Amino acid sequence: MSQQMQFPPGPPAPMGAPAPQTARNGLGVAALVLGVIGVLSGLIPLLFWLAGTLGLLALIFGLVGRSRVKRGQATNKGVALAGLLLGIAAMVAAVIGAVITFTAVKGAVDEINKSLETSTAQPKTGTKGEDAAATEGGASGSEGEALHAGDTAEYDSGLSVTVSKATSYSPDDFAVGHKGSNKAYKITVQLENKGKEKFDSTLTLVEARAGEDGKNAEQIFDGSVGKGFTGKILPGKSASVEFAFDAPASAKNLDVEVAPGLELDAAQWELKL
């Protein structure tokens, strides 16, 4: 009877051998990508905020990536270093872009404010007209002081506004805005463009108040008056329009206010009836 042969087991595998590690190069690559995008964003001043954010992230990722290389956990030392340097460059570009952007915005705001201060200023010294010689002080056009019949209010833009004296007016049978117990008065408003640019007269607003109580005098519309200003006035040209207002029979004065558009302050005339 045959016997089965038995062999001793082989020696065990050696213990303590280090397991292979995978290089952790992700942060270095991320630093490079973010740095490139950050620098490109920094070339556009308005994107300074994006360049700064990406540059900061690239700087952080690049530093961490280099630390991993030093510990033997990563192998892309050059990539991490390039990402770090690009991050710094992106942050510098962000600072420059911010300075350029804020300077440009400040300059634009200053120009707008300067333009508004010029266009909305009160009329300059007015020109004495028909009733100025009989009125103490004449016409000045200064803030808080009314002009008189025939006086001219002048603006820095080169526009001048003149209002004639008020004369009695007889509305036609189809007039709107006139009460039979009241009196109607007509005035002529002239706009003269002494500036260098066209003036749009379409938005010129003319209003009036009558009597000591200062109640609004309703504007009269008929076939002859009430059409208002239309179109643009060329430099060196003028335009005149007649307006009529309804006033109580006892009214002794008609206060007229002319606002030549939205950008210029209104001027006031005190007309005797």
Side-chain angles (χ1 to χ4, degrees), residues 91-265:
M91 294 178 66
V92 172
V95 173
I96 297 175
V99 172
I100 294 175
T101 300
F102 290 134
T103 301
V105 170
K106 183 179 182 301
V109 171
D110 290 343
E111 287 295 325
I112 293 174
N113 290 336
K114 182 179 179 181
S115 175
L116 291 176
E117 288 174 359
T118 300
S119 63
T120 60
Q122 289 286 336
K124 298 189 299 182
T125 302
T127 303
K128 296 180 181 181
E130 302 169 20
D131 294 346
T135 304
E136 183 179 356
S140 68
S142 60
E143 186 175 1
E145 184 175 352
L147 298 169
H148 301 279
D151 291 346
T152 300
E154 298 179 336
Y155 293 85
D156 291 335
S157 61
L159 180 72
S160 65
V161 182
T162 305
V163 176
S164 70
K165 64 180 181 180
T167 58
S168 297
Y169 179 70
S170 298
D172 62 27
D173 295 336
F174 302 98
V176 176
H178 176 58
K179 298 179 181 179
S181 59
N182 290 349
K183 290 185 177 181
Y185 295 92
K186 182 177 68 174
I187 63 171
T188 300
V189 178
Q190 182 186 52
L191 302 180
E192 184 177 1
N193 184 7
K194 301 176 182 178
K196 299 180 180 179
E197 303 291 336
K198 297 179 181 179
F199 174 74
D200 190 352
S201 65
T202 306
L203 297 179
T204 299
L205 182 64
V206 180
E207 296 180 333
R209 291 177 293 277
E212 295 180 357
D213 54 3
K215 290 184 178 179
N216 288 335
E218 189 170 355
Q219 186 175 347
I220 299 173
F221 297 87
D222 63 10
S224 301
V225 297
K227 297 179 181 179
F229 287 94
T230 58
K232 296 182 178 180
I233 303 175
L234 296 172
K237 301 294 183 178
S238 63
S240 298
V241 174
E242 292 182 337
F243 296 86
F245 295 95
D246 189 60
S250 60
K252 302 298 182 182
N253 62 282
L254 184 70
D255 297 330
V256 177
E257 179 176 279
V258 180
L262 301 177
E263 297 181 350
L264 300 176
D265 286 348

Side-chain angles (χ1 to χ4, degrees), residues 11-57:
M15 301 296 294
Q21 294 184 355
T22 303
R24 301 169 63 184
N25 294 330
L27 288 180
V29 174
L32 179 63
V33 173
L34 293 175
V36 171
I37 299 176
V39 170
L40 294 177
S41 301
L43 298 178
I44 304 175
L46 287 176
L47 297 180
F48 68 89
W49 55 273
L50 180 61
T53 302
L54 297 180
L56 179 60
L57 292 176

